[in-house]
Amino acid sequence: DYLKPGGRIIVSIPNVAHWSVRLHLLTGRFDYGDKGILDKTHVRFFTLRTARNLLRQANYKILRTESTPLPLMDVLPVFRLFPLRLIHWIDVALSTVWKGLFGYQFVFLAEDTLTRPVAGSTMTDSR
């Protein structure tokens, strides 16, 4: 209701299908935490496909999809050292090419496609 017709939004959604979550599932773990993909405040979980579906069902046209790599340098500062920094850059490349497995979170630029009346107008919703 607050977005103008044709307005754009940026949406960031964690990827529950990230390789790290899959690895934990293989070992029988699905533990919530204070941060990250399984942050205990997250109400729902999404894959790349279900995140796209969420936006489309909410009447948004996805203009751009990006993914972020695992935040290695933030979690373990030792990854700032040159030899380990290479691992980070490999993960950056993989998360760009194979978003569904290596994307830590998805960032969407989306445009509202729902026609709503302008405030004070007598037009009705065209749905």
Side-chain angles (χ1 to χ4, degrees):
D1 291 339
Y2 298 101
L3 190 64
K4 293 179 182 178
R8 293 181 175 182
I9 59 170
I10 296 174
V11 181
S12 175
I13 298 176
N15 176 19
V16 75
H18 185 267
W19 68 264
S20 63
V21 177
R22 292 178 192 212
L23 182 61
H24 282 119
L25 285 170
L26 283 173
T27 61
R29 294 176 46 214
F30 193 81
D31 303 320
Y32 295 93
D34 293 328
K35 60 184 175 182
I37 295 171
L38 297 178
D39 186 302
K40 60 187 171 191
T41 64
H42 293 164
V43 177
R44 291 179 58 190
F45 296 98
F46 297 91
T47 64
L48 182 56
R49 183 182 59 79
T50 60
R52 286 177 173 155
N53 288 342
L54 173 75
L55 289 169
R56 289 180 185 128
Q57 290 169 4
N59 296 304
Y60 287 97
K61 176 183 175 186
I62 298 169
L63 303 175
R64 188 171 179 172
T65 304
E66 300 285 334
S67 63
T68 65
L70 187 66
L72 293 171
M73 290 195 213
D74 294 333
V75 177
L76 298 169
V78 70
F79 276 94
R80 293 180 192 275
L81 301 174
F82 174 72
L84 295 175
R85 204 175 335 161
L86 180 60
I87 294 170
H88 168 73
W89 289 112
I90 291 170
D91 191 42
V92 168
L94 288 171
S95 68
T96 301
V97 175
W98 200 351
K99 291 175 177 59
L101 182 60
F102 290 96
Y104 188 72
Q105 67 182 355
F106 308 120
V107 181
F108 298 96
L109 173 63
E111 184 175 69
D112 181 24
T113 61
L114 185 62
T115 305
R116 290 187 292 273
V118 178
S121 171
T122 57
M123 294 174 53
T124 58
D125 192 341
S126 64
R127 284 193 289 180

Short mmCIF file of all heavy atoms in Angstrom, two decimals, residues 8-29:
data_model
loop_
_atom_site.label_atom_id
_atom_site.label_comp_id
_atom_site.label_asym_id
_atom_site.label_seq_id
_atom_site.Cartn_x
_atom_site.Cartn_y
_atom_site.Cartn_z
N ARG A 8 9.62 0.43 -7.19
CA ARG A 8 10.57 -0.67 -7.10
C ARG A 8 10.96 -0.93 -5.65
O ARG A 8 11.00 -0.01 -4.84
CB ARG A 8 11.82 -0.37 -7.92
CG ARG A 8 11.53 -0.32 -9.40
CD ARG A 8 12.77 -0.03 -10.19
NE ARG A 8 12.48 -0.12 -11.61
CZ ARG A 8 13.40 0.06 -12.54
NH1 ARG A 8 14.64 0.34 -12.22
NH2 ARG A 8 13.06 -0.05 -13.82
N ILE A 9 11.27 -2.21 -5.38
CA ILE A 9 11.73 -2.59 -4.05
C ILE A 9 12.99 -3.43 -4.18
O ILE A 9 13.25 -4.03 -5.23
CB ILE A 9 10.66 -3.40 -3.27
CG1 ILE A 9 10.28 -4.67 -4.03
CG2 ILE A 9 9.44 -2.55 -2.98
CD1 ILE A 9 9.42 -5.64 -3.23
N ILE A 10 13.77 -3.46 -3.13
CA ILE A 10 14.92 -4.36 -3.02
C ILE A 10 14.60 -5.32 -1.90
O ILE A 10 14.23 -4.91 -0.80
CB ILE A 10 16.22 -3.58 -2.72
CG1 ILE A 10 16.54 -2.64 -3.89
CG2 ILE A 10 17.37 -4.55 -2.45
CD1 ILE A 10 17.71 -1.72 -3.64
N VAL A 11 14.70 -6.61 -2.20
CA VAL A 11 14.35 -7.66 -1.24
C VAL A 11 15.56 -8.56 -1.03
O VAL A 11 16.16 -9.02 -2.00
CB VAL A 11 13.16 -8.50 -1.75
CG1 VAL A 11 12.78 -9.57 -0.76
CG2 VAL A 11 11.96 -7.61 -2.06
N SER A 12 15.90 -8.82 0.22
CA SER A 12 17.00 -9.72 0.56
C SER A 12 16.43 -10.91 1.32
O SER A 12 15.77 -10.74 2.34
CB SER A 12 18.03 -8.98 1.42
OG SER A 12 19.03 -9.86 1.85
N ILE A 13 16.68 -12.12 0.79
CA ILE A 13 16.11 -13.34 1.37
C ILE A 13 17.22 -14.38 1.52
O ILE A 13 17.91 -14.69 0.55
CB ILE A 13 14.99 -13.89 0.45
CG1 ILE A 13 13.85 -12.87 0.34
CG2 ILE A 13 14.48 -15.23 0.98
CD1 ILE A 13 12.75 -13.28 -0.61
N PRO A 14 17.39 -14.94 2.73
CA PRO A 14 18.41 -15.98 2.90
C PRO A 14 18.04 -17.26 2.14
O PRO A 14 16.87 -17.56 1.96
CB PRO A 14 18.43 -16.22 4.41
CG PRO A 14 17.19 -15.64 4.94
CD PRO A 14 16.69 -14.62 3.96
N ASN A 15 19.05 -17.98 1.71
CA ASN A 15 18.88 -19.19 0.90
C ASN A 15 18.96 -20.44 1.76
O ASN A 15 20.05 -20.87 2.14
CB ASN A 15 19.96 -19.23 -0.18
CG ASN A 15 19.91 -20.48 -1.01
OD1 ASN A 15 18.91 -21.18 -1.06
ND2 ASN A 15 21.01 -20.76 -1.70
N VAL A 16 17.83 -21.06 2.04
CA VAL A 16 17.82 -22.26 2.87
C VAL A 16 18.43 -23.46 2.13
O VAL A 16 18.77 -24.47 2.76
CB VAL A 16 16.39 -22.58 3.37
CG1 VAL A 16 15.54 -23.16 2.26
CG2 VAL A 16 16.43 -23.48 4.59
N ALA A 17 18.63 -23.36 0.82
CA ALA A 17 19.24 -24.45 0.05
C ALA A 17 20.75 -24.26 -0.12
O ALA A 17 21.38 -24.96 -0.90
CB ALA A 17 18.57 -24.57 -1.31
N HIS A 18 21.34 -23.32 0.63
CA HIS A 18 22.79 -23.10 0.58
C HIS A 18 23.50 -24.39 0.97
O HIS A 18 23.01 -25.16 1.80
CB HIS A 18 23.17 -21.96 1.53
CG HIS A 18 24.61 -21.58 1.45
ND1 HIS A 18 25.56 -22.11 2.29
CD2 HIS A 18 25.26 -20.73 0.62
CE1 HIS A 18 26.74 -21.60 2.00
NE2 HIS A 18 26.59 -20.76 0.98
N TRP A 19 24.67 -24.64 0.39
CA TRP A 19 25.40 -25.88 0.64
C TRP A 19 25.65 -26.12 2.13
O TRP A 19 25.65 -27.28 2.58
CB TRP A 19 26.71 -25.93 -0.15
CG TRP A 19 27.75 -24.94 0.31
CD1 TRP A 19 27.99 -23.70 -0.22
CD2 TRP A 19 28.67 -25.09 1.39
NE1 TRP A 19 29.00 -23.08 0.46
CE2 TRP A 19 29.44 -23.91 1.46
CE3 TRP A 19 28.93 -26.11 2.30
CZ2 TRP A 19 30.45 -23.72 2.40
CZ3 TRP A 19 29.93 -25.92 3.26
CH2 TRP A 19 30.68 -24.73 3.29
N SER A 20 25.84 -25.06 2.91
CA SER A 20 26.12 -25.25 4.34
C SER A 20 24.90 -25.81 5.08
O SER A 20 25.05 -26.65 5.97
CB SER A 20 26.57 -23.93 4.98
OG SER A 20 25.54 -22.95 4.90
N VAL A 21 23.71 -25.37 4.71
CA VAL A 21 22.48 -25.90 5.32
C VAL A 21 22.28 -27.35 4.87
O VAL A 21 21.93 -28.22 5.68
CB VAL A 21 21.26 -25.03 4.97
CG1 VAL A 21 19.98 -25.62 5.55
CG2 VAL A 21 21.45 -23.59 5.46
N ARG A 22 22.52 -27.61 3.59
CA ARG A 22 22.39 -28.99 3.08
C ARG A 22 23.34 -29.93 3.80
O ARG A 22 22.98 -31.06 4.14
CB ARG A 22 22.66 -29.02 1.57
CG ARG A 22 21.61 -28.31 0.75
CD ARG A 22 21.98 -28.36 -0.72
NE ARG A 22 21.16 -27.47 -1.51
CZ ARG A 22 20.82 -27.71 -2.75
NH1 ARG A 22 21.23 -28.81 -3.36
NH2 ARG A 22 20.08 -26.85 -3.42
N LEU A 23 24.56 -29.47 4.03
CA LEU A 23 25.55 -30.29 4.73
C LEU A 23 25.08 -30.60 6.15
O LEU A 23 25.17 -31.74 6.62
CB LEU A 23 26.91 -29.59 4.76
CG LEU A 23 28.05 -30.35 5.41
CD1 LEU A 23 28.33 -31.66 4.68
CD2 LEU A 23 29.31 -29.48 5.43
N HIS A 24 24.54 -29.59 6.83
CA HIS A 24 24.01 -29.81 8.18
C HIS A 24 22.85 -30.81 8.15
O HIS A 24 22.73 -31.67 9.03
CB HIS A 24 23.57 -28.49 8.82
CG HIS A 24 24.71 -27.69 9.33
ND1 HIS A 24 25.01 -26.43 8.87
CD2 HIS A 24 25.65 -27.97 10.26
CE1 HIS A 24 26.07 -25.97 9.49
NE2 HIS A 24 26.48 -26.89 10.34
N LEU A 25 21.98 -30.70 7.16
CA LEU A 25 20.86 -31.64 7.04
C LEU A 25 21.36 -33.07 6.85
O LEU A 25 20.79 -34.02 7.41
CB LEU A 25 19.93 -31.25 5.90
CG LEU A 25 19.02 -30.05 6.16
CD1 LEU A 25 18.33 -29.62 4.88
CD2 LEU A 25 18.00 -30.38 7.24
N LEU A 26 22.41 -33.23 6.04
CA LEU A 26 22.98 -34.56 5.83
C LEU A 26 23.49 -35.19 7.12
O LEU A 26 23.51 -36.41 7.27
CB LEU A 26 24.11 -34.51 4.80
CG LEU A 26 23.69 -34.39 3.34
CD1 LEU A 26 24.90 -34.17 2.45
CD2 LEU A 26 22.93 -35.63 2.90
N THR A 27 23.90 -34.34 8.05
CA THR A 27 24.40 -34.85 9.34
C THR A 27 23.31 -34.81 10.42
O THR A 27 23.59 -34.98 11.60
CB THR A 27 25.63 -34.03 9.81
OG1 THR A 27 25.25 -32.66 9.99
CG2 THR A 27 26.76 -34.14 8.81
N GLY A 28 22.05 -34.56 9.99
CA GLY A 28 20.92 -34.60 10.91
C GLY A 28 20.74 -33.35 11.74
O GLY A 28 20.07 -33.37 12.77
N ARG A 29 21.31 -32.23 11.29
CA ARG A 29 21.22 -30.98 12.07
C ARG A 29 20.42 -29.93 11.31
O ARG A 29 20.62 -29.73 10.12
CB ARG A 29 22.62 -30.45 12.36
CG ARG A 29 23.41 -31.37 13.27
CD ARG A 29 24.83 -30.92 13.50
NE ARG A 29 24.92 -29.51 13.81
CZ ARG A 29 25.94 -28.75 13.44
NH1 ARG A 29 26.95 -29.25 12.76
NH2 ARG A 29 25.97 -27.48 13.76
#
